[in-house]
Amino acid sequence: MFTVFFTHVQCSDSPPDVKPPQKKKKTPAEPCVKVRQSTAPFKAFLAAIANQPQKRQAIIDMGFGGLLELDMPKNDPIFCARLLSRYSVGSGSLMLRRGREIEIRDIDVHLVYGIPLGGLLVDDNKDNDAADYRLMLEEWREYVGVQRGSPYVSTMATQLADAAVPVTDNWKRTFLVVAVNCCIKSTLNPQPLTGFLSTTIDVNNIPNYNWCKYTIESLLHSACSWQEDTTRFFAGPLPFLQVCYFDRLQKELHKPPRAFPLLSVWKRELIRSRIDYEFRSGLAMGTVLPRIPAPMHGQQDDEQQQQ
DNA sequence: CAAAGAGCACGAGACGTTTG
DNA sequence: CAAACGTCTCGTGCTCTTTG
């Protein structure tokens, strides 16, 4: 959309097809990926709870223990943009050179993040009028000290890490908001996404939801939006997409071990060196590997790996 | 009772500040 | 200096209420 400001100036008989003279859209040489929520607050939180075993155990009990391994470096906007450009929204796969591709499915999220593949669907824009949901949300907002919306992710992460703050149901809900916004799905504005909190009416039910499917849907929608206009923010699971790509496309001179969850392998320094190597060796070039076996889910992964 | 307006919640995006 | 972080304004869609 281009707003023309001067159409009212003596345009008595000028043709309506005014060509905007300012084509200087200062288009950068290459698209960049910008995110609203980085993993930085989450990493700070993890560092702060390193010696609080009850909080780590609560996260494991929720099914999000794999995220305790997260140690992403700062985003590389150019690399992320090139990677995201290769993600096909139509097929849900990363398109590689020579017509090869990596299909990305729910199970891949489980392999990277280790989060639950339960049977219940996470839906963040449905049935927000249920009484128990409204009541829960009201109590949660009182807990985090706001009357509407949500505090910023960094604020909540700091409070969660305070050793004087015990693990409660609302602590778990707040953790989920931080984790989802940093790793799975955020918004294009600075306010954290909270619509999925309907899954936490009973916090013991959190592991029974399919957080992997939720992550894939987030990737599809956010990639679609970003590819329409690459100047937008990206609100999808950027850490997942990168680590999944790193594991499945092996470089001849860069072969780290493969282990579940993949976040436990792909840490800051390894990711940095891999991205450096990407720029030198060529993106989307390498050997496509099959998925690693998933503990406890090996049975339902019957997808064929295409050669 | 139904249609329209007020108010609320939240998303889009610009812009300023902090940080490494 | 660039990325991350935070504030602000504006737009939109929904709901509740008001009023003819």
Side-chain angles (χ1 to χ4, degrees), chain A residues 87-284:
Chain A
Y87 180 72
S88 163
V89 176
S91 64
S93 44
L94 278 170
M95 311 305 289
L96 308 175
R97 308 280 173 99
R98 299 204 297 265
R100 297 170 306 156
E101 58 186 279
I102 300 173
E103 288 190 2
I104 298 182
R105 299 293 179 254
D106 297 356
I107 183 67
D108 291 297
V109 183
H110 183 67
L111 297 178
V112 172
Y113 282 169
I115 58 178
L117 262 174
L120 298 177
L121 269 174
V122 182
D123 192 342
D124 54 12
N125 48 11
K126 189 72 75 63
D127 62 16
N128 291 345
D129 48 351
D132 49 357
Y133 175 69
R134 288 189 164 280
L135 184 63
M136 184 276 294
L137 200 57
E138 201 170 313
E139 287 178 4
W140 177 74
R141 285 186 173 145
E142 189 175 342
Y143 174 80
V144 294
V146 296
Q147 292 183 345
R148 55 184 179 226
S150 162
Y152 291 119
V153 166
S154 55
T155 305
M156 289 186 286
T158 304
Q159 290 172 351
L160 288 177
D162 189 335
V165 175
V167 174
T168 59
D169 283 1
N170 278 320
W171 188 92
K172 294 178 182 176
R173 293 181 182 116
T174 312
F175 165 80
L176 204 60
V177 174
V178 173
V180 167
N181 278 275
C182 288
C183 304
I184 295 177
K185 181 175 182 177
S186 63
T187 64
L188 293 181
N189 67 9
Q191 315 300 327
L193 185 73
T194 57
F196 54 86
L197 277 178
S198 59
T199 62
T200 67
I201 293 172
D202 177 4
V203 294
N204 297 318
N205 224 8
I206 291 173
N208 300 326
Y209 280 87
N210 194 338
W211 294 99
C212 297
K213 184 178 176 63
Y214 185 59
T215 306
I216 292 295
E217 285 171 355
S218 164
L219 177 60
L220 283 165
H221 288 122
S222 53
C224 187
S225 167
W226 185 83
Q227 287 172 359
E228 276 176 14
D229 180 355
T230 56
T231 65
R232 285 177 180 153
F233 287 97
F234 180 69
L238 206 47
F240 159 71
L241 185 65
Q242 293 181 79
V243 172
C244 183
Y245 166 80
F246 294 153
D247 175 68
R248 296 290 300 284
L249 190 72
Q250 189 176 60
K251 301 280 185 179
E252 277 306 304
L253 288 177
H254 200 280
K255 296 181 175 178
R258 309 179 77 198
F260 176 89
L262 290 163
L263 274 188
S264 68
V265 174
W266 291 95
K267 306 270 184 169
R268 185 180 337 212
E269 290 308 319
L270 189 60
I271 293 172
R272 279 208 192 107
S273 67
R274 169 67 186 251
I275 290 177
D276 280 351
Y277 196 65
E278 289 283 335
F279 283 121
R280 286 184 278 125
S281 68
L283 201 89

Side-chain angles (χ1 to χ4, degrees), chain A residues 32-46:
Chain A
C32 291
V33 170
K34 303 169 295 178
V35 296
R36 275 296 191 191
Q37 306 293 346
S38 72
T39 56
F42 192 71
K43 281 193 307 185
F45 163 76
L46 291 180

Side-chain angles (χ1 to χ4, degrees), chain A residues 2-21:
Chain A
F2 198 96
T3 311
V4 182
F5 293 99
F6 305 111
T7 49
H8 63 288
V9 183
Q10 55 205 26
C11 59
S12 56
D13 55 349
S14 59
D17 57 339
V18 279
K19 179 172 294 185

